[in-house]
Structures are given as C-alpha cells and as structure tokens.
Amino acid sequence: MDNRHSPLIGSFDEPSFKEEVDGFPDLETFKKNLQNLKNLSHLTGDYEAIKEIYFKNCVLLPHIYEEHNGQFLNSAKVYRVRNKVGLSEDLNVAETYSHPKIEYTLKNNRANIIGAPAFYGSWDPKVAIAETKLESEEFAYLGTWKIECNRKVLYNTFIYIKNDENLMYSYASSKMELVKAHSKQFGDKANHFIYLYEFLSDLFIEEQPEYNLGSWIGNQVLYGKMPCDYMTYASKMTFLKGICMAFSPLFVSDFMKLESVIKFKVNHIDAINFSIDVLDEGVMNALEKVDWLGGVRKESINILDKWLNDKQTVLSSK
C-alpha cells in the first residue's frame, strides 16, 4: 500500500469487538448462517428487521475503513449518468445531474436505503453508463465531476475479486491481505472474519433488487456512527472489470462540482456492448449554470474515445 493510503481499522482494538468475535459459532455453522441472508425480499423497507436478522446470523458488522489525502482524489474525475430526466427538471443546473433529493429516493439501491440518497458514479464513464442499465434509443446525460477536497477522506471498500483485469485488482488484493493480517489476532475465529468480508463483497455483486441487505449496509457505511465519504464495490454490469462508487451527499455538497455534461443517445446496448451518439455538451459557467454549446468539444470526444472505443463500445458524434 502506497503512502496515499493509510489503513484505519475501526473497532478492531475495542474490547467489545473482541467479545463479539467470541460469539461466532463454528465456521461451518457460520457459513450456513450467512446463507440465510441471501433472500430478504420480504423485508423491503423494514430496516429494523434487517438489522436484527443480520446480527443474528453475522454476529458483527466490521468497520474496516481507510483514509487518504484529499489531494489524491482531486487529480481524478468522477463520471455519473442521469437518465429519465423529467420535463419539469432544469437542464441548466448541476443538481439535475447529481444524486436524487430525499423525497425522490423512493427505493433501495445497491448502497442506499429509501429516503437516504447516495451519489453513484465511477472513475470510468463506461462503468457509469453500463451500471445505469440504459435501453436502446434512450437519451441520457453523462456528467463529469471534479473534486476539490482539502481534508483527509474516509472510505470503505467491498471488493474481493480474482479477476486481474479489474482496474482495482491490485488494491483489492492488498485489502484482503490487510483483512487477513488483522484477523489473526482472533485465533481460531480468524477465518470467520475473512469469510464474512468475502461474503459482504460478493453481496454487492450478486444481490438482486430490492437490495435489502446491501442497501442497509451501504447506509451504515455512509450514514452510520462513523460515516464514510464514499464506498466502492465491483461493477456487476462490466463483469467485475470496473469499480462502482457511492458518495455521501454531504461530501458531494462540500467538495464536488459539476464540470461538464454530455447529452447522448444509446443506439444499441446488449450486456456491456453498446454504441452511443454524443449529441451536445454543456459546461459550467461563472454563475454555476450549464451553458449548452450546440455540439461536443473535440477534447471531450478525445477523452470519451480513450475510455469507450474498444471492441465492445462504439462512439460517434452528431
């Protein structure tokens, strides 16, 4: 792990945490218990019941956070896609392309519960497009967001993968090594902790809507007693070859700004294979409004071409 990342292992050294670890049953029973969490579709919206069944079967929710300097994030861009924009929404303000308002957060998603929005995006615009699950002939907007953060950033990762094509494969491997190293202090219960981390990482890939368990865990990460600024997990829609991000709305409000937005149309989409036409681009002006250019800048086409043009994606401009 390089010097941009500093591990911050919450709860490991607390006596109460060690007492909870002692509550693990034998490993085979524990593995069977976790299977009880695979289908909680009957508990949609009942977060107290989800919490109760989680701790009954998992014993604890480990807080494995890390922190890095905000300057590291400032050098990157975050891409987010908005679709199904309503007729009453203003295409000239950044809020339209950000996370939904609380009153419009009417369902669970992979990392948020009803009434507690999250800002979903990715370092990779292809991941952002794929994860939005667009349809052929649909119009959508790809926003490019910049980060201007002047403090340390706290984040959590649920990624355990063996696919070395994943852009975060090296980091995911180091995260697992970190988990293994700290789990050793729990003696014969070390494998329980490792298995739990693997289970939670797989959950963010495999769980189906209504995402009852993952949404509750994401809410604990972003809104809990020790809230993170963002969390990451593997992208299911790109077959684990990319990274999804869920940011806290507070972090977005304080440190993220819309830089530009591109309107595009999906010509064809099939799994991760898709072709799009880029139609127009808007850039933020001094009054923090979107100025539409009536076309797309060459530099933006070049950036998208770098990310998107491969055997699976066709990019064209109109």
Short mmCIF file of all heavy atoms in Angstrom, two decimals, residues 147-170:
data_model
loop_
_atom_site.label_atom_id
_atom_site.label_comp_id
_atom_site.label_asym_id
_atom_site.label_seq_id
_atom_site.Cartn_x
_atom_site.Cartn_y
_atom_site.Cartn_z
N ILE A 147 -13.39 17.03 -8.05
CA ILE A 147 -13.34 17.05 -6.59
C ILE A 147 -12.32 18.08 -6.14
O ILE A 147 -11.20 18.13 -6.66
CB ILE A 147 -12.98 15.65 -6.04
CG1 ILE A 147 -14.06 14.64 -6.45
CG2 ILE A 147 -12.84 15.68 -4.51
CD1 ILE A 147 -13.74 13.21 -6.07
N GLU A 148 -12.72 18.92 -5.21
CA GLU A 148 -11.82 19.91 -4.61
C GLU A 148 -11.89 19.73 -3.09
O GLU A 148 -12.64 20.42 -2.41
CB GLU A 148 -12.23 21.32 -5.03
CG GLU A 148 -12.14 21.55 -6.54
CD GLU A 148 -12.63 22.92 -6.96
OE1 GLU A 148 -13.27 23.60 -6.12
OE2 GLU A 148 -12.38 23.32 -8.11
N CYS A 149 -11.11 18.80 -2.59
CA CYS A 149 -11.18 18.44 -1.17
C CYS A 149 -9.89 18.85 -0.46
O CYS A 149 -8.79 18.56 -0.93
CB CYS A 149 -11.40 16.93 -1.04
SG CYS A 149 -11.60 16.37 0.66
N ASN A 150 -10.05 19.48 0.70
CA ASN A 150 -8.89 19.99 1.43
C ASN A 150 -8.67 19.26 2.76
O ASN A 150 -8.02 19.79 3.66
CB ASN A 150 -9.06 21.49 1.69
CG ASN A 150 -10.36 21.81 2.44
OD1 ASN A 150 -11.08 20.90 2.85
ND2 ASN A 150 -10.63 23.09 2.62
N ARG A 151 -9.20 18.06 2.87
CA ARG A 151 -9.01 17.30 4.11
C ARG A 151 -8.82 15.82 3.78
O ARG A 151 -8.95 15.41 2.63
CB ARG A 151 -10.22 17.48 5.03
CG ARG A 151 -11.53 16.93 4.45
CD ARG A 151 -12.55 16.75 5.55
NE ARG A 151 -13.88 16.41 5.09
CZ ARG A 151 -14.26 15.20 4.69
NH1 ARG A 151 -13.40 14.20 4.64
NH2 ARG A 151 -15.52 14.98 4.32
N LYS A 152 -8.53 15.04 4.81
CA LYS A 152 -8.43 13.60 4.60
C LYS A 152 -9.81 13.02 4.32
O LYS A 152 -10.83 13.52 4.79
CB LYS A 152 -7.81 12.93 5.83
CG LYS A 152 -6.33 13.24 6.00
CD LYS A 152 -5.72 12.45 7.15
CE LYS A 152 -4.22 12.70 7.23
NZ LYS A 152 -3.59 11.93 8.35
N VAL A 153 -9.81 11.97 3.53
CA VAL A 153 -11.06 11.35 3.08
C VAL A 153 -11.15 9.93 3.63
O VAL A 153 -10.19 9.16 3.58
CB VAL A 153 -11.11 11.31 1.54
CG1 VAL A 153 -12.35 10.58 1.05
CG2 VAL A 153 -11.05 12.72 0.97
N LEU A 154 -12.30 9.60 4.18
CA LEU A 154 -12.54 8.28 4.75
C LEU A 154 -13.40 7.46 3.79
O LEU A 154 -14.43 7.95 3.32
CB LEU A 154 -13.25 8.42 6.10
CG LEU A 154 -13.34 7.19 7.00
CD1 LEU A 154 -11.96 6.74 7.44
CD2 LEU A 154 -14.22 7.50 8.21
N TYR A 155 -12.98 6.24 3.51
CA TYR A 155 -13.74 5.42 2.57
C TYR A 155 -13.70 3.95 2.97
O TYR A 155 -12.89 3.52 3.80
CB TYR A 155 -13.23 5.60 1.14
CG TYR A 155 -11.88 4.99 0.86
CD1 TYR A 155 -11.76 3.82 0.10
CD2 TYR A 155 -10.71 5.57 1.32
CE1 TYR A 155 -10.53 3.26 -0.17
CE2 TYR A 155 -9.46 5.03 1.07
CZ TYR A 155 -9.37 3.86 0.31
OH TYR A 155 -8.14 3.31 0.06
N ASN A 156 -14.59 3.19 2.38
CA ASN A 156 -14.69 1.76 2.65
C ASN A 156 -14.80 1.02 1.33
O ASN A 156 -15.40 1.53 0.38
CB ASN A 156 -15.92 1.46 3.51
CG ASN A 156 -15.83 0.13 4.22
OD1 ASN A 156 -15.14 -0.78 3.77
ND2 ASN A 156 -16.54 0.00 5.33
N THR A 157 -14.23 -0.15 1.27
CA THR A 157 -14.23 -0.94 0.04
C THR A 157 -14.76 -2.33 0.30
O THR A 157 -14.35 -2.99 1.26
CB THR A 157 -12.79 -1.04 -0.54
OG1 THR A 157 -12.32 0.27 -0.85
CG2 THR A 157 -12.77 -1.89 -1.78
N PHE A 158 -15.67 -2.78 -0.55
CA PHE A 158 -16.15 -4.16 -0.51
C PHE A 158 -15.81 -4.80 -1.84
O PHE A 158 -16.65 -4.93 -2.73
CB PHE A 158 -17.66 -4.20 -0.26
CG PHE A 158 -18.05 -3.76 1.12
CD1 PHE A 158 -18.57 -2.49 1.34
CD2 PHE A 158 -17.91 -4.61 2.20
CE1 PHE A 158 -18.93 -2.09 2.61
CE2 PHE A 158 -18.26 -4.21 3.48
CZ PHE A 158 -18.78 -2.94 3.68
N ILE A 159 -14.55 -5.16 -1.99
CA ILE A 159 -14.10 -5.77 -3.24
C ILE A 159 -13.20 -6.96 -2.91
O ILE A 159 -12.14 -6.80 -2.30
CB ILE A 159 -13.32 -4.78 -4.12
CG1 ILE A 159 -14.19 -3.59 -4.49
CG2 ILE A 159 -12.82 -5.48 -5.38
CD1 ILE A 159 -13.47 -2.53 -5.29
N TYR A 160 -13.65 -8.13 -3.28
CA TYR A 160 -12.81 -9.32 -3.20
C TYR A 160 -12.96 -10.03 -4.53
O TYR A 160 -14.00 -10.63 -4.81
CB TYR A 160 -13.23 -10.23 -2.05
CG TYR A 160 -12.51 -11.57 -2.07
CD1 TYR A 160 -11.13 -11.61 -1.93
CD2 TYR A 160 -13.20 -12.75 -2.23
CE1 TYR A 160 -10.45 -12.82 -1.97
CE2 TYR A 160 -12.53 -13.97 -2.26
CZ TYR A 160 -11.16 -13.99 -2.12
OH TYR A 160 -10.50 -15.19 -2.18
N ILE A 161 -11.95 -9.94 -5.38
CA ILE A 161 -12.04 -10.48 -6.73
C ILE A 161 -10.75 -11.20 -7.11
O ILE A 161 -9.68 -10.92 -6.56
CB ILE A 161 -12.30 -9.36 -7.76
CG1 ILE A 161 -11.30 -8.22 -7.54
CG2 ILE A 161 -13.73 -8.87 -7.71
CD1 ILE A 161 -11.41 -7.11 -8.54
N LYS A 162 -10.87 -12.11 -8.04
CA LYS A 162 -9.71 -12.84 -8.55
C LYS A 162 -9.43 -12.45 -10.00
O LYS A 162 -8.52 -12.99 -10.62
CB LYS A 162 -9.97 -14.33 -8.44
CG LYS A 162 -10.16 -14.81 -7.00
CD LYS A 162 -10.42 -16.30 -6.94
CE LYS A 162 -10.62 -16.75 -5.49
NZ LYS A 162 -10.90 -18.20 -5.38
N ASN A 163 -10.22 -11.55 -10.55
CA ASN A 163 -10.09 -11.13 -11.94
C ASN A 163 -9.01 -10.06 -12.06
O ASN A 163 -9.20 -8.92 -11.66
CB ASN A 163 -11.44 -10.59 -12.44
CG ASN A 163 -11.39 -10.13 -13.88
OD1 ASN A 163 -10.36 -10.20 -14.53
ND2 ASN A 163 -12.52 -9.67 -14.37
N ASP A 164 -7.85 -10.41 -12.62
CA ASP A 164 -6.74 -9.47 -12.67
C ASP A 164 -6.93 -8.39 -13.75
O ASP A 164 -6.08 -7.52 -13.92
CB ASP A 164 -5.41 -10.18 -12.86
CG ASP A 164 -5.33 -11.00 -14.14
OD1 ASP A 164 -6.26 -10.90 -14.98
OD2 ASP A 164 -4.36 -11.76 -14.31
N GLU A 165 -8.06 -8.42 -14.48
CA GLU A 165 -8.36 -7.36 -15.43
C GLU A 165 -9.06 -6.19 -14.74
O GLU A 165 -9.23 -5.12 -15.35
CB GLU A 165 -9.24 -7.88 -16.57
CG GLU A 165 -8.53 -8.89 -17.46
CD GLU A 165 -9.41 -9.32 -18.63
OE1 GLU A 165 -10.39 -8.61 -18.92
OE2 GLU A 165 -9.12 -10.36 -19.22
N ASN A 166 -9.51 -6.40 -13.52
CA ASN A 166 -10.18 -5.33 -12.79
C ASN A 166 -9.20 -4.22 -12.49
O ASN A 166 -8.09 -4.46 -12.03
CB ASN A 166 -10.78 -5.89 -11.49
CG ASN A 166 -11.73 -4.92 -10.83
OD1 ASN A 166 -11.35 -3.80 -10.51
ND2 ASN A 166 -12.96 -5.35 -10.63
N LEU A 167 -9.64 -2.99 -12.73
CA LEU A 167 -8.74 -1.87 -12.56
C LEU A 167 -8.28 -1.69 -11.11
O LEU A 167 -7.27 -1.07 -10.83
CB LEU A 167 -9.42 -0.60 -13.10
CG LEU A 167 -9.92 0.48 -12.19
CD1 LEU A 167 -8.82 1.53 -12.15
CD2 LEU A 167 -11.17 1.16 -12.71
N MET A 168 -9.00 -2.28 -10.14
CA MET A 168 -8.63 -2.19 -8.74
C MET A 168 -8.15 -3.55 -8.19
O MET A 168 -8.15 -3.76 -6.99
CB MET A 168 -9.83 -1.71 -7.92
CG MET A 168 -10.21 -0.27 -8.17
SD MET A 168 -9.14 0.89 -7.30
CE MET A 168 -9.92 0.93 -5.69
N TYR A 169 -7.74 -4.44 -9.09
CA TYR A 169 -7.35 -5.78 -8.65
C TYR A 169 -6.21 -5.73 -7.63
O TYR A 169 -6.26 -6.39 -6.59
CB TYR A 169 -6.94 -6.63 -9.85
CG TYR A 169 -6.33 -7.96 -9.47
CD1 TYR A 169 -7.14 -9.01 -9.05
CD2 TYR A 169 -4.95 -8.15 -9.51
CE1 TYR A 169 -6.58 -10.22 -8.68
CE2 TYR A 169 -4.39 -9.36 -9.14
CZ TYR A 169 -5.21 -10.40 -8.73
OH TYR A 169 -4.65 -11.60 -8.37
N SER A 170 -5.21 -4.94 -7.91
CA SER A 170 -4.06 -4.86 -7.01
C SER A 170 -4.49 -4.34 -5.64
O SER A 170 -4.08 -4.88 -4.60
CB SER A 170 -2.98 -3.95 -7.61
OG SER A 170 -1.90 -3.80 -6.73
#
